Amino acid sequence: MAISENYPLFIGGDWIDKKEKFDVINPATEEVIVQVPNAGPEEMKQAIEAAVRVQPEWADTVASERARILADAAKLMRERIEKLAEIMTIEEGKPLAESRGEIGYAASFLEWFAEEAKRIYGDTIPSNSKDKRILVIKRPVGVTAAITPWNFPAAMITRKIAPAFAAGCTMIVKPSELTPLSALEIAKIFEEVGLPKGVLSIVAGTEPAALTRVLMDDVRVRKISFTGSTPVGKLLMKQAADTMKRVSFELGGHAPFIVFQDADLDEAVSHAVLAKMRGMGEACVAANRFYVQEEVLESFTEKLASRLQAMKVGNGLQEGVSVGPLIEPAAVQKVEDHVQDAVAKGAKLVLGGERSGQNKGYYYPPTLLTNVNEDMKVTFEETFGPVAAILPFSTEEEVIQKANNTRYGLAAYFFTRDVGRLFRLADRLEYGILGANDGLPSTAQAPFGGIKESGLGREGSKYGIEEYLDIKYISIGGISR
Ligand code: SIN
């Protein structure tokens, strides 16, 4: 299905067309949906200039007006949910119900930070001299940039622009070239609600490294927020050093999903489906390694297999489909490689494992592996697909060691009805996000982010806005004269 609407780039508050264009592909049909102007370094420089120009005025806009813009944008986003969800499904592949869920999730960041904009408080500190007072104020860090992924094409953008705008920062967004349409729809919304020109730019193009380099080299860009892979995060961190930019990174993950024998097994299975299959497993927080205590191994495996088997694979626009295509052929190849590697090393294929029969589209069915061991790629590389690998364990100590045996530290899930164990695991699991009897802990109210090689900084919550604020203090003398 092609889209008749035009999608120019949004640079400095203007809609910019260009002769050179790139194709946006529907992963369900492999058809070209629409062509988008292919931004290069020149367009990125224009976006930076526009942001630099408007930054002082935007920083001094009263908080209530920045809040109003964010709240109005959230309202429009919710009003347009059907259109936005359809665009998302067409460009990203996730089933329509999930796309609707993501639009709601995206709007929730705008709503949350519309409120936080009004609560950027300072401090007064007792000074060491009766002649002085010390005041702490917070100011926006300035021009910022966001590099966002294709797997959550709307929510990963609002999770960054909402705190940036709330704090008084401008932001240049480089969305994934695989899903630029959701980003450009967000720009339309902000234009309609009266965001000053230049505060937001959306610069999409097929040379991400060249576009990013312009951002990283410009000393006036004071902060970069990136969601994507750990290797790219490491590269950006090195590049940020030259201009001492602030960074926040939400990087890869390899989430363990631990089921103790005392867990409510049906609940654990329902949450396992959520944690594994949301976005076809293409999420940084997706459960990868399912550690199941020996006593409940067989029944958990049977229940999960029957839930996965019942999921309908197909074009996400169709009624009843709960597993859409993966994003691109390389994604399918990676999943296939992980499954073949596991089977070659002795894993048992309980379900799936064969590319689905559709003629067109990048499909891979829900797949369940048992007899898995730690030599298999599925247990240490991000699969980013609908593959659940089950490993048995016998003791709490053993599973904590195994779960932590990774360079990643984004999300971990565990299911138990033992309150003492719940707190022991919360203390000892080396992850930023812990789903205790919860397979979907993500929410605008909570500080999303990882430790170890899964990233730096937090998004969402009262902590998220701090990433966009500089602290200054004023030491005021001459008081007792
Ligand atoms: C991600 O895993 O890429 C983000 C998912 C979320 O916000 O829950």
Side-chain angles (χ1 to χ4, degrees), residues 105 151-152 156 159 227 250 278 283-286 410 442 448:
Y105 186 38
N151 60 343
F152 290 86
M156 296 306 101
R159 181 139 87 182
T227 297
E250 196 253 282
R278 179 171 170 239
C284 309
V285 292
L410 187 58
S442 305
F448 190 99

Side-chain angles (χ1 to χ4, degrees), residues 28 84 98 268 448 463:
L84 297 176
E98 282 199 46
F448 190 99
Y463 304 101

Side-chain angles (χ1 to χ4, degrees), residues 326-337:
L326 302 188
I327 188 69
E328 56 183 349
V332 180
Q333 275 154 23
K334 183 173 188 196
V335 174
E336 203 158 50
D337 170 55

